[in-house]
Amino acid sequence: MSYSLIAEELVNSLGGEQNIVSVAHCATRLRVMVADETKIDKERIEDTDKVKGAFFNSGQYQIIFGTGTVNRVFEAVQNLDLSTSSKSEIKQAANQQGTALQRAIRTFSDVFVPLIPALVATGLFMGLRGLVTRPEVLAIFGLTPDSIPANFILYTQILTDTAFIFLPAMVAWSASRVFGGTPLIGLVLGLMLVSPALPNAWAVGFGEANPLMFFGFIPVVGYQGSVIPAFIAGFLTAKLERRIRSIMPEAFDLVMTPFLTLLIMSAVALLAVGPLFHIVEVTMVEATKYLLDLPFGLSGLIIGFVWDLIVITGVHHVFNLLEIQLLANEGSNVFNALITGAISAQGAACLAVGMKTQSKKLKALCFPSTVSAFLGIIEPAIFGVNLRYYRPFVFALVGGAAGGFVAQILGLAASGMAVTVIPGTLLYLDGQILSYLLVHAVSCGVAFSLTYTMGFSDKMLEKK
């Protein structure tokens, strides 16, 4: 079935054009907001070509396609030129659907998910720099660390440091966009937070510089690597801009609205939001570190077990904030190490089902889903196979717990974020690659062996 036919089938199954309020997508899922959930033909959707599963969550009907496929389906849906509701109606509908917690989670995802590609690239750059500057690798070419040209080191610093130096600008831009402001005004405010005229946050932290003191008691520094102050600043900027625009005469709007918005918010961000929420951010980081440092591998055991349960809810993107904070403040990401085994475990359990079943249709679903999981995208394996037969999913949770336990015991920590399993190897090229492979050997071995021996038989096909 072509993607255009799939799109038409989905629209009809979702209750027609008039029932569709908005359509968006993430890495694996088509996320549809509908006016009336009862009009959705769920069985028809799940039987549609290339659909791996579907469910209603956080005020959205989420249809699993998998990485790459979802982009093409989304483009086909866009090409249908749906006569959906206006932007204001969409926003009103979005605000009304789901609980307050679900709406908050959706908002965080909307802000931080667009930043992931840049942060993924930065993490991969960090891994490559760690590889090419290792003495063992340099020795192959008859070089030593001292023989690396200074300009090359500078270039690698540009690749790996830029995204985190200007992270507040990226966050403020995205937050301003999500909350209805002009994104470029949010971007400029974010750049003000990291202006070179301010004392560098990292220099102040290392005692190499002193903060500027305003009114004798307000310390002001740059906010390189900060997330929460930039998020709050972007939110307030959007709200203030919209308020000013609503009362500003049209003849003066183009000049005076951005002028007053930046004038007021620059002072508010630097003198109030920044100092206050920087304390909140530091406290959150310290609390997170405490939880991640629980002894005897407990953190890895717990996080490795529950991670796939979190993915089911669709709220896992919220943890991007945690990973960003860890990288910005600690220079490494232990959270990535604790969840990567949980992801490969789902792939291993799916592979076990594919190898054990005699059903050609199920095999055709299992093997591509396994490949997807080993590339870090587990929704096809979870919703298409493991969760349908229950036991493979549970045994994958056990494998994830085992992998997380080993990762914590070995002290594994990534140099970046947002990529795992095979692509994630680039985040552990700084001498940790053998430990990383051991984590996946344990998680996959446990999940595969339990699923193959006790987790699946073709008799389950009749009881699905």
Side-chain angles (χ1 to χ4, degrees):
M1 184 181 293
S2 68
Y3 288 105
S4 60
L5 290 177
I6 291 174
E8 292 177 4
E9 179 73 6
L10 288 176
V11 170
N12 293 331
S13 303
L14 290 165
E17 293 184 14
Q18 298 306 316
N19 195 44
I20 299 175
V21 179
S22 65
V23 182
H25 74 96
C26 60
T28 59
R29 311 176 188 189
L30 196 70
R31 296 171 178 260
V32 185
M33 192 165 289
V34 296
D36 186 355
E37 183 186 353
T38 61
K39 294 182 179 180
I40 299 175
D41 188 341
K42 299 180 180 179
E43 291 186 3
R44 183 177 174 185
I45 287 177
E46 292 202 0
D47 289 337
T48 301
D49 188 28
K50 298 187 183 298
V51 171
K52 304 294 194 300
F55 60 97
F56 200 84
N57 184 60
S58 298
Q60 297 172 323
Y61 195 67
Q62 302 182 14
I63 307 172
I64 314 300
F65 284 100
T67 180
T69 303
V70 70
N71 296 325
R72 298 184 180 183
V73 173
F74 179 71
E75 290 175 359
V77 172
Q78 282 187 313
N79 290 336
L80 294 178
D81 193 23
L82 300 179
S83 56
T84 55
S85 305
S86 68
K87 290 183 178 179
S88 62
E89 290 172 330
I90 290 174
K91 184 174 181 182
Q92 183 178 6
N95 289 337
Q96 292 174 348
Q97 293 194 31
T99 64
L101 177 60
Q102 289 173 332
R103 294 195 299 271
I105 289 171
R106 196 160 60 229
T107 299
F108 270 100
S109 296
D110 290 342
V111 171
F112 290 103
V113 167
L115 308 182
I116 291 178
L119 297 174
V120 167
T122 297
L124 296 180
F125 288 144
M126 289 178 175
L128 288 173
R129 181 177 68 176
L131 174 65
V132 300
T133 58
R134 286 192 61 79
E136 297 90 338
V137 175
L138 292 172
I140 298 174
F141 303 96
L143 302 174
T144 65
D146 293 334
S147 61
I148 301 177
N151 287 342
F152 178 77
I153 296 296
L154 177 62
Y155 174 64
T156 61
Q157 289 175 340
I158 292 172
L159 290 175
T160 59
D161 297 353
T162 300
F164 289 103
I165 291 174
F166 295 102
L167 182 60
M170 296 162 58
V171 173
W173 163 80
S174 189
S176 180
R177 174 186 57 83
V178 168
F179 291 109
T182 302
L184 279 177
I185 292 179
L187 176 65
V188 172
L189 180 72
L191 290 171
M192 290 179 177
L193 294 176
V194 292
S195 170
L198 298 172
N200 184 280
W202 291 311
V204 172
F206 287 115
E208 299 171 359
N210 296 316
L212 301 176
M213 300 303 294
F214 280 72
F215 308 111
F217 68 96
I218 301 178
V220 174
V221 299
Y223 291 94
Q224 289 81 5
S226 290
V227 176
I228 295 179
F231 178 86
I232 300 298
F235 165 76
L236 294 176
T237 298
K239 297 300 182 183
L240 178 62
E241 180 194 356
R242 294 178 63 186
R243 176 60 179 164
I244 292 174
R245 179 160 284 122
S246 68
I247 61 176
M248 182 65 62
E250 292 184 3
F252 300 102
D253 179 62
L254 180 63
V255 175
M256 294 305 297
T257 297
F259 170 76
L260 292 175
T261 300
L262 288 173
L263 177 64
I264 296 170
M265 279 308 306
S266 61
V268 171
L270 291 173
L271 301 179
V273 171
L276 176 61
F277 284 94
H278 180 64
I279 296 173
V280 173
E281 186 173 66
V282 170
T283 302
M284 290 178 59
V285 171
E286 292 300 321
T288 301
K289 286 175 58 182
Y290 174 79
L291 293 175
L292 292 176
D293 290 338
L294 289 176
F296 311 117
L298 289 176
S299 297
L301 199 66
I302 296 170
I303 294 174
F305 183 84
V306 305
W307 179 247
D308 295 328
L309 296 171
I310 295 172
V311 171
I312 289 178
T313 68
V315 304
H316 52 295
H317 292 302
V318 174
F319 289 86
N320 294 329
L321 174 61
L322 167 63
E323 295 188 81
I324 291 169
Q325 286 183 316
L326 288 173
L327 286 167
N329 291 275
E330 305 298 320
S332 61
N333 179 7
V334 66
F335 188 79
N336 180 279
L338 300 185
I339 67 171
T340 188
I343 294 170
S344 64
Q346 290 292 339
C350 184
L351 178 62
V353 173
M355 292 182 66
K356 193 170 183 180
T357 184
Q358 299 299 314
S359 168
K360 293 182 179 180
K361 182 178 180 180
L362 183 55
K363 284 182 181 291
L365 178 60
C366 285
F367 295 136
S369 298
T370 298
V371 173
S372 177
F374 288 157
L375 292 175
I377 305 297
I378 57 173
E379 282 89 345
I382 289 179
F383 294 102
V385 180
N386 296 347
L387 199 57
R388 291 188 176 191
Y389 304 106
Y390 182 66
R391 286 186 183 180
F393 180 74
V394 173
F395 288 143
L397 297 183
V398 176
F405 174 80
V406 174
Q408 186 180 6
I409 293 297
L410 296 176
L412 204 61
S415 62
M417 61 171 286
V419 289
T420 53
V421 199
I422 294 175
T425 56
L426 291 173
L427 306 182
Y428 298 88
L429 295 176
D430 52 352
Q432 303 182 92
I433 189 62
L434 293 179
S435 297
Y436 183 75
L437 295 176
L438 177 60
V439 166
H440 287 292
V442 170
S443 61
C444 290
V446 170
F448 182 91
S449 59
L450 290 177
T451 302
Y452 194 87
T453 56
M454 299 183 290
F456 178 80
S457 69
D458 278 338
K459 293 181 181 179
M460 293 181 179
L461 297 175
E462 301 173 1
K463 303 177 182 179
K464 179 175 70 67

